[in-house]
Amino acid sequence: MNSDIESGFGIYIHFPFCLKKCDYCAFSTWDDRFDLVEPYLQALKLEITSWSKNMELAPTSIYFGGGTPSLMEAKQISPLLELFDIDKDVEITLECNPETVSVSKLVDFKNIGINRLSFGVQSFSSHVLASLGRIHSADNAIKAFGFAKEAGFENISLDLIYGASGESDQDWLYSLEKCFELKPTHLSAYALTVEPGTALSKDPLRYPDDDVQAKRYEVIDELAEKIGMRWYEISNWAFEGYESRHNQIYWSRKNYLGFGCSAHSYIDGQRRWNFSSLNKYLEASLYGRSLCCGKEDLTDKQNRLEVLMLGLRTKDGISLSDLFKLFPKLESIFFNSLDASLTELLEITQKRVRLTLKGRLLANEVINYLSSFESV
Ligand SMILES: C[S@@+](CC[C@H](N)C(=O)[O-])C[C@H]1O[C@@H](n2cnc3c(N)ncnc32)[C@H](O)[C@@H]1O
Ligand code: SF4
C-alpha cells in the first residue's frame, strides 16, 4: 500500500542507551547497560513483527529517538526498517549525539534510507555544555554537522536548550549565531526544565529562571525569523517545507505506534504505553507477555483539552468553529467580554485563533483560561 501523507501514520522506535546520562534528562535511557543492546534489538524486532500480524505497517514517518540511536550501526537498524512497508516519500529521522558519528557511519545511515538527522547540540558554549553535563564540545557538534553534510544529508535539525545555569545573554546569542551559521533546515529550542529524579533536580542552585527563559525565547524567534526560519510549533522553527512530518503527526492527533521501552502509541482515540524499565520490557518480551503496561481511551473532556492544547501550540492555531464546538460557552463572550489581558496573547481573525509571540510565552495560562469555560 502507498503511504498516505495526508492521513499520516507515524512510527516511533526508542533506543534507550547513551554514552553518559545528561544532568537534566529524564528520558528512559541507560549509560551502563550496553550488554543489553543486542537482546533489546531482538525484542524490538519481535514487538514490531507481532504488530505487523494485526495491522499494515505502512508509515508516513519513522522516528528513531532515545536515548542515542546514533550509537547503533546501520546494520543494526536496517533489519528493523525491513519490517515496515516503506514508500520512497517516508520521512525517516534518526536522533544523533554529536559524539557518536563519523562520515562513514552517516553514509551507511543514508544508504539504508535515513533521510533526516536530528542532532542534540544544546549549546555552542563549552561552559554551558559542561553545566548541562554533556559529553561533547561545541567544536565536535560543528564537526558532526559537517560530517552529516559530507555524507549527503540535506535535512538536518539541531536541538538547543536555553536557561542553563551559567548561560549569559551573550552565550545564548552566540549559540544561536553559531547554529544559524551552520544553516540547519530545522531548529528545536527547549526551555531547560527540571525533571524529577535527574541530577539537576537535586541542585536548586542550577534551576532555570522563568524570566530569563522568556527573554531567550524572544531572541530565538527574532533571529530565526530574520534568516527565514518560521516557527510552526512553540519550540520548533523550520525553513518552509522542512517542518518535521513526524512531529506534526503528534500535534494533529494522527495515529502513531511506538516500539521499545517507554514508547507511547495513539491509535483511534486510544493511548497505550510500554514498560519504561528496560528490565521489565526485556523480561516481558522474553516470556512472551504483553509489553504494554497501560492504556486509556480518552474521555470527551481529555479529547477537547488535547485538541485545544496541541492546536494552539502550532502556528495555525485552531479554527473558531472547532473552538466553539469544543467549548460552546466561549462563543457568547469571545468577541465581547473576553478577558482584556488575552487581547495581546491571541490573534483572532474571522476564522481562526492563534497565539501571538507573547501568547506563546504564556501558552499554558491561555489554554487553562480557555478550557475553564467548559465548567462555567
Ligand atoms: C532524546 S534527546 C536528543 C538526542 C540525543 N540523545 C542527544 O541528547 O544528543 C531529545 C532532546 O530533548 C531535549 N531535552 C531533554 N531533556 C530536557 C529537559 N529537561 N529540558 C529541556 N530539554 C530537554 C534536548 O534538547 C534533547 O536534545
Ligand atoms: S539528553 Fe540525549 S544524550 Fe543526554 S541522557 Fe538524554 S537522551 Fe541521552
Side-chain angles (χ1 to χ4, degrees), residues 5-10 60-61 232-233 244-256 266 269 303 306-314 316-317 322 352:
I5 301 292
E6 276 306 305
S7 65
F9 170 45
T60 51
S61 65
Y232 71 106
E233 195 271 350
S244 154
R245 274 195 230 152
H246 187 77
N247 285 346
Q248 292 186 90
I249 284 177
Y250 297 148
W251 304 325
S252 56
R253 305 178 82 234
K254 292 184 175 143
N255 286 343
Y256 59 87
Y266 176 81
N303 276 317
E306 247 192 48
V307 174
L308 175 70
M309 212 162 64
L310 295 173
L312 261 196
R313 288 180 61 92
T314 66
D316 291 335
D322 283 350
R352 303 194 77 81

Side-chain angles (χ1 to χ4, degrees), residues 70 96-110 117 119 139-154 156 158 182:
S70 54
C96 299
N97 182 301
E99 201 60 34
T100 61
V101 294
S102 61
V103 178
S104 68
K105 188 177 208 181
L106 293 172
V107 167
D108 290 346
F109 287 168
K110 189 146 195 297
L117 299 177
F119 281 98
D139 279 351
N140 280 2
I142 294 170
K143 271 190 202 139
F145 191 91
F147 293 164
K149 283 289 196 191
E150 206 176 324
F153 281 93
E154 183 231 354
I156 308 171
L158 300 185
L182 295 176

Side-chain angles (χ1 to χ4, degrees), residues 24-25 27 66-68 95-98 120 122 134 159-161 190-193 195:
Y24 53 86
C25 182
F27 284 93
T68 307
E95 275 182 355
C96 299
N97 182 301
Q122 322 311 353
R134 297 287 292 180
D159 284 354
L160 295 179
I161 287 183
Y190 302 107
L192 177 66
T193 51
E195 301 290 346

Side-chain angles (χ1 to χ4, degrees), residues 38 77 79-80 115 119-120 125 230 236 240 255 262 293 301-302 340 343 374:
E38 277 309 319
I77 300 172
L80 301 173
N115 49 32
F119 281 98
S125 288
R230 303 272 174 261
N236 290 279
E240 202 180 336
N255 286 343
S262 80
C293 67
K301 187 176 171 159
Q302 284 172 312
T343 50
E374 185 176 53

Side-chain angles (χ1 to χ4, degrees), residues 14-15 17-30 65-69 95 97 120 122 132-135 161:
H14 190 70
F15 184 78
F17 304 95
C18 291
L19 290 180
K20 178 191 165 286
K21 188 97 185 167
C22 304
D23 288 2
Y24 53 86
C25 182
F27 284 93
S28 273
T29 174
W30 286 265
T68 307
E95 275 182 355
N97 182 301
Q122 322 311 353
L132 289 166
R134 297 287 292 180
I135 49 168
I161 287 183

Side-chain angles (χ1 to χ4, degrees), residues 177-196:
E177 283 168 1
K178 281 278 158 207
C179 166
F180 293 140
E181 266 171 33
L182 295 176
K183 299 200 176 66
T185 48
H186 185 282
L187 166 68
S188 300
Y190 302 107
L192 177 66
T193 51
V194 179
E195 301 290 346

Side-chain angles (χ1 to χ4, degrees), residues 50-239:
S50 92
W51 271 90
S52 68
K53 288 180 185 144
N54 306 319
M55 179 172 177
E56 191 172 25
L57 300 182
T60 51
S61 65
I62 300 182
Y63 194 99
F64 289 92
T68 307
S70 54
L71 281 171
M72 284 186 280
E73 299 293 332
K75 63 176 188 286
Q76 293 172 304
I77 300 172
S78 55
L80 301 173
L81 288 175
E82 280 160 15
L83 302 173
F84 300 99
D85 181 358
I86 301 181
D87 196 66
K88 63 176 175 9
D89 292 331
V90 175
E91 176 189 273
I92 309 181
T93 305
L94 188 109
E95 275 182 355
C96 299
N97 182 301
E99 201 60 34
T100 61
V101 294
S102 61
V103 178
S104 68
K105 188 177 208 181
L106 293 172
V107 167
D108 290 346
F109 287 168
K110 189 146 195 297
N111 286 340
I112 60 167
I114 288 159
N115 49 32
R116 184 172 182 273
L117 299 177
S118 171
F119 281 98
V121 170
Q122 322 311 353
S123 171
F124 285 95
S125 288
S126 17
H127 65 280
V128 177
L129 288 169
S131 136
L132 289 166
R134 297 287 292 180
I135 49 168
H136 57 87
S137 63
D139 279 351
N140 280 2
I142 294 170
K143 271 190 202 139
F145 191 91
F147 293 164
K149 283 289 196 191
E150 206 176 324
F153 281 93
E154 183 231 354
N155 196 357
I156 308 171
S157 178
L158 300 185
D159 284 354
L160 295 179
I161 287 183
Y162 52 97
S165 155
E167 180 190 73
S168 65
D169 290 350
Q170 209 47 44
D171 291 330
W172 181 234
L173 200 61
Y174 177 77
S175 274
L176 287 172
E177 283 168 1
K178 281 278 158 207
C179 166
F180 293 140
E181 266 171 33
L182 295 176
K183 299 200 176 66
T185 48
H186 185 282
L187 166 68
S188 300
Y190 302 107
L192 177 66
T193 51
V194 179
E195 301 290 346
T198 57
L200 176 64
S201 71
K202 298 180 185 81
D203 188 359
L205 287 177
R206 286 199 285 162
Y207 284 12
D209 177 288
D210 288 349
D211 293 336
V212 168
Q213 288 188 317
K215 253 194 341 192
R216 300 267 148 87
Y217 185 88
E218 288 176 339
V219 179
I220 319 167
D221 199 57
E222 191 190 324
L223 295 192
E225 291 273 333
K226 252 191 206 154
I227 62 152
M229 274 183 145
R230 303 272 174 261
W231 83 283
Y232 71 106
E233 195 271 350
I234 285 188
S235 307
N236 290 279
W237 291 259
F239 285 105

